[in-house]
Amino acid sequence: MAVLGIGKETYFFVNGLKTLHPIQLREGVSLLPAHCSAGIEEIIQNIRGEVELGITTLLLNKTASQLKIIAEGPKELAIRAWNSQWDILLLNAIFCTEAIALLQSTSPAENFPDKVPLNVTACYIHLPHYTYHIKKKDIEWLSKYYSKAYSLLDNDAFSTAVHSLATYHWHSMPRVQLSILWAGIESLFDIHSEISFRLSLSIAKFLEPSNSAKSIVVYKKVKNLYNYRSKVVHGAPSQPSRETVLATIGLLNLLIKKCITTGALPPKTEKLLFNN
């Protein structure tokens, strides 16, 4: 396991998320370009443990970017390094991607293996199916909204939604994926009765507060998706279609981004409807 409480600087190598330009995410945490082309012999010579060796071999040369974390001292560095996994989850939720950051070092990826210790921070792995390339418009969006997004993680409902969207793909069955995604959606709305109607209405008014025609379209779409969710949760024999899962992913992503841009979670249904 990695030693994160030493020095004033550390790096996490990221798979599944690529940037060509440095991005300041929050105080002491940046996402930087990265590349590593270590040979298998170099990896074998520098990594101990069979599990660690296997994970490093799979991930190191597919490093697409890296988190650089700096602090005034070891204690603050350890805290920021620990919490940086939430940065990965948040970026996954924002971009609907599958990035992971399981390799940590005190030096950038480009320096491996020049006497730089490399650590595996966790011995579980879900390989990203693809790499999301961060675009110029994404950088502009992050510059404007990322600090708001990270501050919202203090709210359990928002962090649940983020975690749901960032990790649903860890499960291969569409039925389970849909259940997890709806757990994230429902966490954002404090609704305990007439759930199908009230939740669909609240989501419609939250996403389209000033356009009645668009609000009706959203309401019908959400209600239809919720019906699929109910069948899945209550034991329907067939798996939901990929299209249903993708539509639910898109809905949760829209809700999370709307929370971020407004800097707040959705109001109660009554306030959404009557603005009181």
Side-chain angles (χ1 to χ4, degrees):
M1 294 296 289
V3 179
L4 301 178
I6 297 176
K8 298 181 180 181
E9 181 175 302
T10 195
Y11 295 80
F12 283 90
F13 304 163
V14 180
N15 300 87
L17 189 65
K18 186 178 183 65
T19 180
L20 298 178
H21 306 282
I23 304 171
Q24 184 70 39
L25 296 176
R26 56 187 176 91
E27 184 180 1
V29 180
S30 303
L31 185 68
L32 307 179
H35 175 71
C36 186
S37 56
I40 185 64
E41 295 83 4
E42 293 174 314
I43 296 175
I44 292 173
Q45 291 172 5
N46 288 273
I47 303 299
R48 296 181 179 179
E50 293 181 356
V51 174
E52 289 80 1
L53 177 60
I55 292 175
T56 304
T57 302
L58 283 170
L59 298 181
L60 184 58
N61 288 342
K62 294 182 180 179
T63 297
S65 59
Q66 56 193 331
L67 287 176
K68 178 182 180 180
I69 302 166
I70 60 174
E72 291 297 321
K75 181 178 180 180
E76 184 181 7
L77 182 68
I79 294 171
R80 286 182 180 171
W82 180 268
N83 289 329
S84 68
Q85 291 301 317
W86 273 106
D87 291 290
I88 296 298
L89 292 174
L90 186 54
L91 290 169
N92 280 343
I94 290 170
F95 296 125
C96 287
T97 191
E98 305 176 7
I100 57 174
L102 302 183
L103 303 179
Q104 176 268 336
S105 178
T106 55
S107 186
E110 294 78 12
N111 290 354
F112 183 85
D114 296 335
K115 297 181 181 179
V116 176
L118 181 64
N119 303 288
V120 176
T121 61
C123 290
Y124 64 87
I125 186 170
H126 175 92
L127 287 174
H129 290 91
Y130 67 98
T131 296
Y132 181 86
H133 291 246
I134 295 179
K135 308 170 188 67
K136 180 180 178 182
K137 65 178 182 179
D138 296 328
I139 296 176
E140 294 171 351
W141 193 93
L142 291 172
S143 176
K144 187 174 182 180
Y145 294 114
Y146 190 82
S147 59
K148 286 184 178 181
Y150 195 84
S151 65
L152 283 173
L153 288 172
D154 288 335
N155 187 297
D156 183 67
F158 183 77
S159 63
T160 298
V162 166
H163 201 283
S164 297
L165 186 52
T167 63
Y168 76 91
H169 53 264
W170 292 359
H171 302 269
S172 60
M173 294 181 66
R175 180 194 303 276
V176 179
Q177 291 179 342
L178 206 61
S179 298
I180 292 171
L181 290 165
W182 274 101
I185 293 172
E186 293 186 54
S187 72
L188 296 173
F189 297 87
D190 188 23
I191 297 173
H192 307 286
S193 62
E194 298 178 311
I195 296 176
S196 177
F197 168 71
R198 289 165 60 86
L199 182 61
S200 301
L201 187 60
S202 295
I203 290 174
K205 295 301 291 184
F206 181 58
L207 293 178
E208 295 292 346
S210 56
N211 189 315
S212 296
K214 290 184 178 180
S215 183
I216 291 172
V217 171
V218 173
Y219 169 79
K220 291 180 178 179
K221 177 182 177 180
V222 174
K223 202 166 190 304
N224 187 46
L225 287 174
Y226 191 84
N227 287 337
Y228 279 111
R229 173 262 178 208
S230 296
K231 292 177 182 178
V232 165
V233 170
H234 297 295
S238 60
Q239 294 284 348
S241 67
R242 181 59 181 163
E243 290 73 20
T244 298
V245 175
L246 288 174
T248 308
I249 292 168
L251 175 60
L252 181 51
N253 179 253
L254 282 175
L255 291 169
I256 287 173
K257 285 186 174 179
K258 184 64 180 283
C259 291
I260 292 171
T261 55
T262 58
L265 268 65
K268 301 288 187 180
T269 304
E270 290 76 13
K271 186 172 181 64
L272 282 169
L273 293 178
F274 305 112
N275 195 29
N276 59 13

